[in-house]
Amino acid sequence: MARIVMKFGGTSVANLERIYNVARHVKREVDAGHEVAVVVSAMSGKTNELVGWVESMPKVAGSNAPFYDAREYDAVVASGEQVTSGLLAIALQSMNINARSWQGWQIPIKTDNAHGAARILDIDGADIIRRMGEGQVAVIAGFQGLGPDNRMATLGRGGSDTSAVAIAAAVKADRCDIYTDVDGVYTTDPRIEPKARRLKKIAFEEMLEMASLGAKVLQVRSVELAMVHKVRTFVRSSFEDPDAPGMGDLLNPPGTLICDEDEIVEQEVVTGIAYAKDEAQISLRRLADRPGVSAAIFGPLAEAHINVDMIVQNISEDGSKTDMTFTVPSGDVDKALKVLSDNKEKVGYDVVQSESGLVKVSVIGIGMRSHAGVAASAFRALAEKGINIKAITTSEIKISILIDGPYAELAVRTLHSVYGLDKS
């Protein structure tokens, strides 16, 4: 017998038939004798609809400014998960399974006060553990918690993944299964490279890089929590037949296991290729090369909540001037340019240049720590395809390369092949 947390995303609970299918997945684990808790997202498209209502209400009320209270935003958008959790509990009860729905505040899942993007501070899993021990299935609304102001707080888009991993850590689960519309984590996006392979295992560090660099399988924060608390996490498909062979395998169910690297016996040099579209590059020319310049640039950008990624600095021969280039999401370019313009006198640059429509392609693998020449292979392969590199950043287990947007798919396929990821 094991203790399992199962999480089902929006496409998995998109309608009543799919919720019934989810109930069959849960029943399989209950019938096997496991203690089970379930975390659910809102039905597919429901959160977008609720957000649209919140954003439209001030306009309907005649307000010129699209202002709304973030606490009321949370009260509205958190209702999607409440509906799903209740419906799944009803489906399970119809199968004669002892099930009860829970909202975030009932457990409680305690968060900070950042409404709309709250972070989990603490979960008291004692009552859930007691009820699981009595054979009850807890069906928990993901994405939501209770802030210090005693108000509902939501965790940001994709927050149900984080809810599931945090609850798994709180109840000391043996496994956290993230059910989605894909059957695991692939070496790259199969829509771009048909030869992409599903990985049986991937290390926490690799998955964290994959998630933060463009892979959409899991929310970044959920991977961080899984890594910190060593929560063995499986990415699985909810669209497979719940009673298909192997689906009830406790140790090796179909999907991809995200785990500590010690569990991965044969480590590949490169595990996967990720990409992120809609990147933009901003360059500040002829900056004074003096202490405090970087802080004058990136401090105001951080205060404006603009996420800066790749940073490259060039120094002139006499050491008096420097150029600073960095990337931001394309949607933040105008905001970033205004911040820089407002701080021009303090920063002291001559001219600012920007370019949108770029793509960041990343090579990821914990095996890179002990192998030389990985970067050189990437640069050589891209050069042979005529792809120009605009910026490069590296870490122990990743290389990120900034290129022009039209070359994104060619670069992904080229790098996938050059590292042998298309071979089984």
Side-chain angles (χ1 to χ4, degrees):
M1 185 183 76
R3 184 174 294 163
I4 300 173
V5 173
M6 308 170 73
K7 182 265 175 179
F8 294 90
T11 54
S12 302
V13 294
N15 52 46
L16 296 182
E17 289 72 25
R18 289 189 180 175
I19 291 174
Y20 169 71
N21 188 60
V22 164
R24 290 178 60 210
H25 279 286
V26 176
K27 185 177 187 300
R28 180 193 63 234
E29 304 298 351
V30 172
D31 288 348
H34 303 313
E35 295 181 355
V36 179
V38 186
V39 176
V40 291
S41 299
M43 293 179 175
S44 181
K46 180 55 68 175
T47 300
N48 287 339
E49 181 183 27
L50 294 169
V51 170
W53 289 352
V54 171
E55 292 176 345
S56 297
M57 193 66 250
K59 301 171 189 174
V60 172
S63 172
N64 292 325
F67 170 80
Y68 52 82
D69 190 316
R71 291 165 294 188
E72 302 310 331
Y73 168 95
D74 279 351
V76 175
V77 299
S79 65
E81 283 72 17
Q82 179 171 334
V83 170
T84 313
S85 60
L87 289 173
L88 180 56
I90 290 170
L92 290 168
Q93 290 165 3
S94 301
M95 297 174 171
N96 296 317
I97 292 173
N98 181 11
R100 180 64 60 206
S101 66
W102 292 72
Q103 307 312 302
W105 60 268
Q106 291 176 299
I107 293 175
I109 299 172
K110 295 182 179 178
T111 73
D112 62 19
N113 213 22
H115 286 276
R119 294 174 74 88
I120 294 173
L121 300 178
D122 181 56
I123 298 177
D124 183 354
D127 201 17
I128 297 291
I129 291 172
R130 178 181 64 80
R131 289 171 179 259
M132 290 170 77
E134 294 172 354
Q136 186 177 97
V137 175
V139 184
I140 302 165
F143 180 58
Q144 55 173 249
L146 184 69
D149 54 0
N150 211 35
R151 302 280 309 185
M152 188 86 75
T154 62
L155 308 179
R157 285 308 182 91
S160 293
D161 288 345
T162 302
S163 299
V165 173
I167 288 166
V171 302
K172 296 179 172 56
D174 298 287
R175 204 174 75 203
C176 180
D177 291 353
I178 306 290
Y179 285 83
T180 181
D181 53 3
V182 296
D183 61 353
V185 180
Y186 280 72
T187 49
T188 196
D189 189 338
R191 294 170 298 181
I192 289 180
E193 175 50 84
K195 294 180 181 177
R197 293 181 293 107
R198 187 179 74 189
L199 299 163
K200 286 191 68 66
K201 293 182 180 181
I202 184 171
F204 290 123
E205 293 91 339
E206 293 172 321
M207 191 66 236
L208 185 58
E209 293 286 5
M210 294 278 278
S212 62
L213 294 169
K216 305 296 184 185
V217 179
L218 288 174
Q219 190 202 44
V220 174
R221 178 65 181 144
S222 69
V223 185
E224 291 176 347
L225 277 174
M227 183 165 65
V228 168
H229 296 285
K230 304 296 184 189
V231 177
R232 299 174 83 250
T233 304
F234 275 93
V235 177
R236 307 180 62 177
S237 172
S238 65
F239 295 102
E240 294 187 31
D241 185 341
D243 299 319
M247 288 296 285
D249 189 328
L250 177 62
L251 298 179
N252 294 295
T256 299
L257 172 63
I258 306 168
C259 58
D260 195 277
E261 66 177 277
D262 292 343
E263 286 195 52
I264 302 174
V265 179
E266 296 182 15
Q267 294 177 352
E268 300 290 341
V269 177
V270 171
T271 299
I273 311 295
Y275 69 97
K277 294 183 177 180
D278 297 322
E279 294 285 311
Q281 180 175 272
I282 295 176
S283 297
L284 301 175
R285 303 298 184 191
R286 294 182 291 281
L287 287 158
D289 186 25
R290 55 180 170 76
V293 169
S294 294
I297 297 169
F298 299 115
L301 290 172
E303 290 171 6
H305 305 290
I306 297 170
N307 183 35
V308 174
D309 187 16
M310 309 172 84
I311 302 173
V312 179
Q313 184 175 9
N314 298 315
I315 309 296
S316 62
E317 286 187 13
D318 63 4
S320 62
K321 296 287 183 180
T322 180
D323 290 342
M324 186 80 76
T325 299
F326 55 90
T327 62
V328 298
S330 288
D332 286 340
V333 170
D334 291 341
K335 188 177 177 183
L337 292 176
K338 184 180 186 309
V339 170
L340 293 169
S341 176
D342 292 345
N343 290 273
K344 182 174 182 180
E345 187 174 331
K346 184 177 180 181
V347 175
Y349 59 85
D350 279 1
V351 64
V352 60
Q353 300 169 330
S354 64
E355 182 181 4
S356 298
L358 305 178
V359 169
K360 178 174 62 180
V361 181
S362 302
V363 178
I364 300 156
I366 53 177
M368 292 166 59
R369 290 174 179 158
S370 55
H371 286 78
V374 178
S377 298
F379 304 152
R380 189 182 310 112
L382 295 178
E384 289 172 356
K385 297 293 184 180
I387 300 173
N388 184 48
I389 298 173
K390 294 180 172 289
I392 303 163
T393 58
T394 63
S395 74
E396 268 194 319
I397 66 168
K398 76 127 194 273
I399 304 159
S400 289
I401 300 163
L402 191 69
I403 61 173
D404 288 319
Y407 292 99
E409 294 190 10
L410 177 59
V412 168
R413 288 194 295 268
T414 298
L415 294 173
H416 193 266
S417 176
V418 79
Y419 295 115
L421 297 176
D422 51 355
K423 298 170 184 174
S424 56

